[in-house]
Amino acid sequence: MSDELSAARRRLLRGKRPSSYSLGRGDEKTKRMEFEEFTKRVRKLPRHGLWRYGQAGDLPGEGDTIDPVQLIELAKANQNRPVIAFTHKPPTEENLEALQQASDLGFKVNLSADNMAEADEFCDLGVSVVVVLPLEYSRKTKGKEWLETITAYKERTKSLPKTTPKKRRIAVCPATYTDTRCSECRICSNHERNGIVVGFPVHGSRKLKIKTG
Ligand code: SF4
């Protein structure tokens, strides 16, 4: 798992998160109760509102393992609501099977890759992929303010690779260089995106606020 990508995503997810949840830590009983409470809350989310799973954590399961039972419970609780979900857990056979079962129930998850070559590896598995991008892809900031204009940013980054080594298109998350909201973009919840890999620049996030609402 990339700490950089996790940190980048945490920065991205700051701000208003009206429909976001993450699992807590504690002993098994506590975690189980928290999970059940969590799925109850998921069931009560608006039927068509986009929400974001796992602001600070990952899919249920210890370490690199996805707990298939809890993931299915989560998928059933979600009842096909549009959701943005990521995992850094590796695409082992067992994890992929759990992800497929959840996907069949309408709960689709993006696999997080640490670099473009790994993004290609994950895409070859037929899953949706996001990737951490190098610093150069970031729009410069100072505190919470943009330090370069959008025109200057686009000019500076226009020569950077826009595809993976296997020529899959990279789409830089627009919330990392504009004030776009996830509800306007939605690409991370769209799993029919023709192999587009969503990229998150590792730094320069302007204390980024990706807004789901
Ligand atoms: S703004 Fe778009 S690309 Fe960025 S996290 Fe939200 S849905 Fe994903």
Side-chain angles (χ1 to χ4, degrees), residues 14-207:
R14 282 182 194 138
K16 291 182 181 177
R17 290 169 291 185
S19 300
S20 59
Y21 303 92
S22 61
L23 300 178
R25 300 173 192 276
D27 61 30
E28 285 308 310
K29 187 177 173 189
T30 303
K31 282 197 282 192
R32 180 70 214 170
M33 286 169 61
E34 284 180 350
F35 183 76
E36 286 175 4
E37 180 59 30
F38 171 69
T39 54
K40 277 184 200 166
R41 292 165 69 191
V42 171
R43 286 180 196 281
K44 290 177 183 169
L45 288 173
R47 285 297 302 146
H48 303 291
L50 180 67
W51 70 287
R52 184 185 298 273
Y53 170 82
Q55 303 283 0
D58 206 307
L59 295 177
E62 289 299 317
D64 283 346
T65 304
I66 296 173
D67 183 326
V69 174
Q70 288 199 336
L71 182 58
I72 296 307
E73 283 179 43
L74 176 60
K76 287 180 177 172
N78 186 53
Q79 296 174 308
N80 267 313
R81 291 174 177 84
V83 59
I84 294 175
F86 307 97
T87 184
H88 261 110
K89 302 202 182 212
T92 61
E93 197 175 322
E94 294 77 13
N95 284 351
L96 285 173
E97 190 174 327
L99 291 171
Q100 184 61 54
Q101 288 176 3
S103 175
D104 291 344
L105 291 166
F107 190 92
K108 298 177 191 290
V109 179
N110 295 278
L111 273 192
S112 294
D114 292 340
N115 53 60
M116 294 193 198
E118 189 173 66
D120 272 332
E121 282 177 35
F122 291 176
C123 285
D124 288 343
L125 298 170
V127 296
S128 300
V129 177
V130 299
V131 66
V132 66
L133 295 174
L135 175 63
E136 306 89 75
Y137 286 83
S138 299
R139 185 175 170 189
K140 293 177 183 169
T141 61
K142 185 174 184 182
K144 295 184 178 181
E145 303 302 321
W146 301 118
L147 201 57
E148 61 185 341
T149 64
I150 189 68
T151 304
Y153 167 73
K154 288 186 174 176
E155 180 65 24
R156 181 176 58 76
T157 56
K158 71 180 181 186
S159 61
L160 295 175
K162 300 292 187 301
T163 61
T164 66
K166 289 191 177 179
K167 304 300 177 198
R168 293 183 173 98
R169 191 182 144 209
I170 299 164
V172 179
C173 166
T176 66
Y177 61 90
T178 68
D179 293 322
T180 302
R181 293 170 179 265
C182 290
S183 56
E184 296 160 342
C185 168
R186 302 178 80 97
I187 191 169
C188 294
S189 66
N190 174 7
H191 297 268
E192 307 294 330
R193 57 187 194 236
N194 295 322
I196 292 174
V197 175
V198 179
F200 294 90
V202 68
H203 288 304
S205 57
R206 197 189 59 141
K207 313 307 179 261

